[in-house]
Every structure is written in C-alpha cells, then in structure tokens.
Amino acid sequence: MNRVIVAGVGNIFLADDGFGVEVARRMSADVLPAGVEVEDYGIRGMHLAFQLLEGYDTLILIDAVQRGDQPGTIFVIEPDLDAEPVNPATDAHSMNPDAVLSTLAALGGRVGRVLVVGCEPAELVERIGLSSVVSRAVDEAVSVVRKLIDEVTVDRIETKKGDRADV
C-alpha cells in the first residue's frame, strides 16, 4: 500500500494564496483509498515536515504558484528532489515547499515523490477569500488531485508477456 499525503498549503489572509487550503477543505469529506490522507496545513510548514517523518511514498502539495500563466490556470509540477537543497526553514510558519523538504532532509526523513498541483493566482493581497477566477479553478484542481491519487495508488503487476497491467 502506498502512503500518500495531500497537503493544502497557503495563507487564507492573502486572497488567492488560500487556494491550497480551499482545495484540501473540499476534499476533506471525500472517500479516499487506504493510505491516503488529506490535510489543510495552511502556513504550518514545520508541522508538515514533521508529519512527513512518519514515512510517505508521495506528497501531493496544493498551492498558489506564480509562473506567469493566466490566473486560474492549473498545472502539475514534479520538482527535482535531487536538486541543490535550500536552507531548512527557520520560521515555524514558513510554507516554502523547498524549505519544508530541506527541513525534512535535515531531520533525517525523505519522501519518495513530490507532486505540486499549482494554480496561478490573480490576487495576493490582504483579504480573506479567493478571487472569482481562482475560486472557479478549485473544482478542476480537486479533479486533478483525484487523478494523481489514482495514479500513485494503483497497484501494478507483471503479466505473463512482461507487459504491465493495472490491478
């Protein structure tokens, strides 16, 4: 059984930065495969790093990510976990994903695979609530996360011909 943690992150007091939190909130009532957990981590990066010490095969991180796309654009990024690490988080409320993973490594832990489901924000201003365009993208993000969960939790077996088949 693969252990998967789906972590919604972001600051709900900065408009679209609360995107990951909203996606996790919507998914919190979903029936998920065994070994899959969904949690709203908000700005609690250190808490996420310590949770990852419990051993997970996959981290699906949901966050607002600025890449210069149209606001509301949903994308999946698989970061290079072998890249040069950044300094571990020194602020317990830091939610920079690189800092969280560096903190995890500094604590002696690791995660097998990281997938970031990002959304291009429209507004990162002091305000509670997503912009209308990012709010409309939440359902699409939930769908993308569900597909990723299916992808990383499907057991595969070898067939007699050496082909791979889903079980």
Side-chain angles (χ1 to χ4, degrees):
M1 173 177 67
N2 289 329
R3 288 194 72 202
V4 178
I5 188 161
V6 178
V9 299
N11 187 337
I12 63 167
F13 297 108
L14 293 177
D16 292 342
D17 196 46
F19 170 77
V21 171
E22 178 61 20
V23 173
R25 186 192 67 75
R26 291 224 191 142
M27 293 189 71
S28 64
D30 287 358
V31 176
L32 301 167
V36 177
E37 303 167 30
V38 175
E39 178 91 22
D40 160 17
Y41 283 92
I43 58 171
R44 297 174 295 130
M46 193 64 71
H47 182 94
L48 176 57
F50 278 107
Q51 182 68 37
L52 289 169
L53 284 174
E54 292 187 15
Y56 290 87
D57 300 292
T58 305
L59 164 63
I60 300 174
L61 198 62
I62 311 161
D63 198 6
V65 179
Q66 291 181 300
R67 295 185 355 154
D69 292 321
Q70 289 289 340
T73 301
I74 300 295
F75 44 85
V76 177
I77 303 167
E78 185 164 6
D80 180 6
L81 298 181
D82 296 324
E84 187 69 28
V86 298
N87 291 329
T90 54
D91 175 3
H93 297 288
S94 175
M95 197 50 249
N96 177 314
D98 291 333
V100 170
L101 295 174
S102 292
T103 300
L104 175 65
L107 294 170
R110 66 176 304 274
V111 63
R113 185 176 185 194
V114 176
L115 300 166
V116 178
V117 175
C119 179
E120 183 72 38
E123 301 173 349
L124 296 174
V125 297
E126 290 186 20
R127 184 189 81 234
I128 294 176
L130 303 176
S131 65
S132 60
V133 68
V134 169
S135 184
R136 288 190 302 270
V138 170
D139 287 338
E140 179 185 352
V142 168
S143 177
V144 168
V145 172
R146 286 181 184 146
K147 287 177 187 173
L148 291 173
I149 291 169
D150 288 344
E151 175 188 311
V152 300
T153 60
V154 170
D155 291 326
R156 297 184 181 274
I157 59 170
E158 295 293 329
T159 65
K160 292 181 181 177
K161 295 180 181 179
D163 296 330
R164 296 195 58 84
D166 294 341
V167 181

